[in-house]
Amino acid sequence: MSSEPAQPGDRPSITERLMFAVPAALFYGTILYFLIWMPSGESLPFLSGLVLFPMAITGTATILADPRGEGSLWRHIKIGWICITLFIVLSMVLMREAGICVVMAAPFFYVGSALGSLISRLLLRKLRSRSIASCLVILPLVGLPAEPLVPAPEHEGQVQTVIDIDAPPEIVWKNTVEIPDVSSRELQWTFSHNVVGVPKPVDARLEGQGIGAIRHLRWTRGVTFEEIVTDWQPDRYLSWNFRFGPHSIPEAVEGHIKVDSSYLKLAGGDYRLDPLPNGGTRLTLTTRYVIATPINSYCDWWGRIFLNDFHGTVLNVIRHRAEAQAKGSGAAASAPNLIHDPVADSPAGRPVAM
């Protein structure tokens, strides 16, 4: 008995193929995640992990959902973005991926996804070859050994935040060198802490006095580190170098970004106290860092967001405590004079980075 040749209408539609293509793409993405992102080391897989990784996931979905490349490009881009969104959710729920990595990687993932949809559809449509299109799927593994060859120039940066406090320098100094027992009521709302989930400051205590003294810092979610004092001028200036231990930042908080590595190093920081004519104090907090990645400008942009939020949170705690103490000791109290960004006014009561 002979069978009729399959007609075009007998082929499963793209919608029907998606029932298999999307789970397959997510499964393959999970395998790639464990091969590329899970190994911890002194470097990050920028090329294979941020660019080629999402291209492979959406390439898999495109090849399986539309092996002839007949669907529209926009439809394939939407399919790819659905896969990437599902994978991000999956990584946060099952792999406990931290918010910092998610928000920093997401733009690359969505751009890489669209690029993967474009290239895989083009190969399927023009070359009529699934085998050639499949090469896109294995590119992350091929590109992984080439990561050390990707240029990563060194970039030095700093974030500086200034606030005016209605209290004399000696009171501000006492509330700066040590900031014990920070309660949640003292912390202002920030994008970094309340949306991304960056740990919040909890405690800063001083061991010793003068150069060589150690400030022990504790943040939420088990983050601990030290600041080694390098300059000590009472009521005027305090500087330090950071010291991180192997367990300063638990893996559950951030398993990929290491703050003392070849691609990121917090170099140091300082507080400067300048007396004001009205008897108040201008307090300046500076943090210096060094990054060495293929995407320095992008990392620097995010770093400034995170550091600005942290600076603002700490400085507001110092301001409120110092002004309360100054009022209690009979010092004149007036509304704080914050330095505002000339372009975009900051929220009320929040310091502005310089």
Side-chain angles (χ1 to χ4, degrees):
M1 183 173 66
S2 62
S3 59
E4 294 292 331
Q7 299 299 316
D10 297 332
R11 295 198 307 266
S13 65
I14 293 180
T15 302
E16 293 171 329
R17 290 179 181 272
L18 283 175
M19 301 298 293
F20 170 73
V22 172
L26 294 177
F27 178 74
Y28 182 60
T30 303
I31 294 175
L32 289 180
Y33 175 88
F34 282 101
L35 293 176
I36 296 173
W37 282 109
M38 284 304 291
S40 59
E42 278 295 304
S43 61
L44 283 178
F46 292 100
L47 175 62
S48 55
L50 289 178
V51 180
L52 301 180
F53 177 78
M55 291 175 63
I57 294 177
T58 55
T60 300
T62 297
I63 293 170
L64 294 177
D66 186 15
R68 296 174 180 268
E70 296 172 336
S72 69
L73 175 60
W74 176 235
R75 182 172 189 179
H76 282 296
I77 289 177
K78 289 191 293 183
I79 292 171
W81 285 349
I82 290 173
C83 291
I84 290 298
T85 301
L86 291 174
F87 180 81
I88 289 175
V89 173
L90 186 68
S91 69
M92 295 178 71
V93 174
L94 297 184
M95 281 81 88
R96 314 297 290 181
E97 194 62 65
I100 300 176
C101 265
V102 169
V103 299
M104 292 184 67
F108 283 92
F109 276 19
Y110 285 105
V111 172
S113 170
L115 188 59
S117 299
L118 171 64
I119 294 176
S120 56
R121 177 181 177 274
L122 183 64
L123 293 175
L124 292 171
R125 194 179 187 91
K126 299 297 182 182
L127 300 183
R128 301 292 184 180
S129 174
R130 273 178 288 181
S131 58
I132 296 178
S134 298
C135 293
L136 184 70
V137 174
I138 63 171
L139 274 182
L141 300 177
V142 175
L144 193 59
E147 288 290 343
L149 303 178
V150 179
E154 192 173 277
H155 167 74
E156 296 181 3
Q158 72 172 30
V159 170
Q160 188 174 87
T161 312
V162 180
I163 189 173
D164 285 1
I165 301 175
D166 191 17
E170 59 270 20
I171 291 182
V172 175
W173 172 264
K174 292 177 182 178
N175 287 277
T176 298
V177 293
E178 283 196 300
I179 315 174
D181 301 322
V182 179
S183 69
S184 59
R185 298 189 306 273
E186 296 180 277
L187 301 178
Q188 64 182 18
W189 187 97
T190 69
F191 169 77
S192 299
H193 299 124
N194 297 90
V195 177
V196 179
V198 175
K200 304 175 183 179
V202 172
D203 197 82
R205 297 181 185 264
L206 183 66
E207 178 185 343
Q209 296 276 320
I211 296 175
I214 302 175
R215 296 180 79 226
H216 299 275
L217 283 86
R218 182 164 55 90
W219 291 1
T220 55
R221 302 180 65 188
V223 175
T224 58
F225 59 97
E226 297 173 343
E227 295 172 349
I228 312 302
V229 175
T230 57
D231 197 345
W232 176 282
Q233 301 175 31
D235 306 338
R236 296 289 296 179
Y237 186 74
L238 176 72
S239 68
W240 61 85
N241 289 330
F242 292 99
R243 182 164 69 188
F244 296 91
H247 304 294
S248 286
I249 302 180
E251 290 287 328
V253 175
E254 184 45 70
H256 302 305
I257 301 176
K258 301 185 183 300
V259 294
D260 189 21
S261 61
S262 60
Y263 57 87
L264 172 62
K265 186 177 293 291
L266 291 178
D270 61 66
Y271 285 108
R272 187 176 74 246
L273 290 75
D274 297 309
L276 297 174
N278 64 356
T281 304
R282 176 163 293 170
L283 179 61
T284 303
L285 172 57
T286 304
T287 300
R288 290 173 290 278
Y289 54 90
V290 180
I291 53 178
T293 75
I295 50 173
N296 280 345
S297 296
Y298 181 76
C299 293
D300 186 70
W301 181 72
W302 275 111
R304 290 180 179 277
I305 291 175
F306 295 144
L307 285 174
N308 280 333
D309 285 348
F310 172 73
H311 282 191
T313 297
V314 172
L315 290 178
N316 265 304
V317 172
I318 295 173
R319 176 173 68 83
H320 287 303
R321 291 185 174 189
E323 289 183 350
Q325 187 174 342
K327 289 178 182 179
S329 62
S334 61
N337 175 28
L338 297 181
I339 297 179
H340 293 282
D341 190 319
V343 178
D345 200 20
S346 65
R350 180 178 181 181
V352 175
M354 303 293 286

